[in-house]
Amino acid sequence: MEPQKEARTPGDPVARSSGPSRSRTPKDEERREGDTAPAEASLDAEADGAFADSAFADALWELPVEPAERRPECRRCSRPQKVCLCPFLPLHPLHISTHLYIIQHPAEESKVLRTVPLLAACLPQDKCKVKIGRRFSEERDPELSTVCRKSDTLILYPGAEAANLEEFILESPIYPSTIIIIDGTWSQAKDIFYKNSLFRLPKQTLLRPLQALCSFQLQHGAQIRLSKEHLLKNGLYLKPMPKNKRKLRKMELLMNSVKI
């Protein structure tokens, strides 16, 4: 008779015959222990190094930290006392009838030689107001919005529509009660002027001292830097045109004299 086969379900494990097992000799055991010894030694060395680094870092944290002492500043001109400019400023605030609103770019606030505190030190507090920022709107600053909408408010900006201040005063029956001044580099002032619609409401003016200052700088080594608009319009822009659609659209607006 044939031997009966045992029934097996699909889940039952299949017994496999194992090959001839080789017994380990004492030499094999010694070889295995010799292989693991270098690995254990390297792990111990890494652990010791990590512990040493941690202890060194803890020791650094425990070192006393000397606080940085700022040089004492003058309360009036905001300059260090050793280079205080108050002896060259008026002893008493100047009496003026015009209100000044200075729109200062945030980058100008941290510069070494700041002219805005010097101007504020020469004028009464109620005649000079400084506002720091890049963007202004009617919702954020209703006071500035009201000032910009007045007919007797001027903004000092050398735009294409700017008129000489002296000529404007002689020709206009209204004496300006408020003048807005943008404090920043040329690019910063341009960015503030064109990206805030409030500043395009007042009439643009230009002072002769500003023109004289530019002429003086050119006579003493300053170089004329042509704007990107000028370079694009006259085919002098040597850099490759951007591939980004947004930047390319911006360049097209500059070529078409569209203020952006």
Side-chain angles (χ1 to χ4, degrees):
M1 295 180 63
E2 296 180 358
Q4 294 182 355
K5 297 181 179 180
E6 294 182 358
R8 182 177 62 85
T9 60
D12 293 339
V14 179
R16 297 182 180 179
S17 60
S18 58
S21 59
R22 179 171 171 268
S23 60
R24 295 179 180 176
T25 62
K27 291 185 178 180
D28 294 337
E29 294 293 340
E30 293 179 359
R31 188 182 297 110
R32 184 181 179 186
E33 292 178 358
D35 294 340
T36 58
E40 292 178 356
S42 63
L43 291 176
D44 293 340
E46 291 180 1
D48 294 340
F51 178 78
D53 294 340
S54 177
F56 180 73
D58 294 340
L60 288 179
W61 281 109
E62 294 177 359
L63 290 176
V65 180
E66 297 181 0
E69 296 183 0
R70 293 178 58 89
R71 292 183 296 174
E73 294 183 353
C74 175
R75 295 184 178 181
R76 187 184 180 196
C77 66
S78 300
R79 297 280 296 162
Q81 292 181 359
K82 290 186 178 181
V83 288
C84 176
L85 298 177
C86 289
F88 306 96
L89 302 179
L91 295 177
H92 305 286
L94 301 176
H95 296 285
I96 59 175
S97 58
T98 305
H99 293 78
L100 296 182
Y101 277 80
I102 301 177
I103 309 301
Q104 187 180 54
H105 191 276
E108 294 292 317
E109 189 181 8
S110 59
K111 287 196 173 180
V112 177
L113 183 59
R114 294 168 290 173
T115 55
V116 171
L118 300 179
L119 177 61
C122 299
L123 301 177
Q125 294 183 358
D126 60 336
K127 294 293 185 179
C128 182
K129 293 186 178 181
V130 182
K131 294 183 176 294
I132 303 173
R134 295 184 180 90
R135 301 293 178 265
F136 300 88
S137 62
E138 187 173 359
E139 294 77 13
R140 293 181 179 180
D141 201 323
E143 176 190 0
L144 185 61
S145 175
T146 303
V147 170
C148 291
R149 296 181 185 278
K150 290 184 178 180
S151 59
D152 56 352
T153 298
L154 303 178
I155 184 168
L156 182 63
Y157 185 80
E161 303 175 358
N164 189 279
L165 181 59
E166 291 84 352
E167 297 175 358
F168 174 80
I169 293 177
L170 294 176
E171 298 175 0
S172 177
I174 303 175
Y175 190 85
S177 64
T178 305
I179 296 181
I180 300 174
I181 303 174
I182 302 177
D183 180 40
T185 62
W186 289 112
S187 59
Q188 292 170 354
K190 181 179 179 181
D191 179 77
I192 291 177
F193 181 79
Y194 283 111
K195 292 188 177 180
N196 292 278
S197 58
L198 290 177
F199 299 145
R200 295 197 294 274
L201 297 177
K203 185 174 180 59
Q204 303 174 27
T205 60
L206 184 63
L207 293 175
R208 287 182 181 176
L210 180 60
Q211 297 174 335
L213 176 61
C214 294
S215 301
F216 179 84
Q217 290 176 340
L218 293 174
Q219 294 172 5
H220 291 78
Q223 297 181 356
I224 298 178
R225 296 186 179 181
L226 301 176
S227 63
K228 188 181 292 185
E229 296 93 321
H230 178 85
L231 297 176
L232 288 171
K233 291 178 182 179
N234 295 275
L236 302 175
Y237 191 77
L238 302 179
K239 296 181 180 180
M241 297 296 287
K243 297 181 179 180
N244 185 281
K245 292 184 178 179
R246 184 171 174 226
K247 293 183 178 179
L248 187 61
R249 176 59 179 167
K250 186 176 180 180
M251 302 284 273
E252 293 175 354
L253 294 175
L254 288 175
M255 295 178 64
N256 297 327
S257 299
V258 178
K259 301 302 182 182
I260 54 178

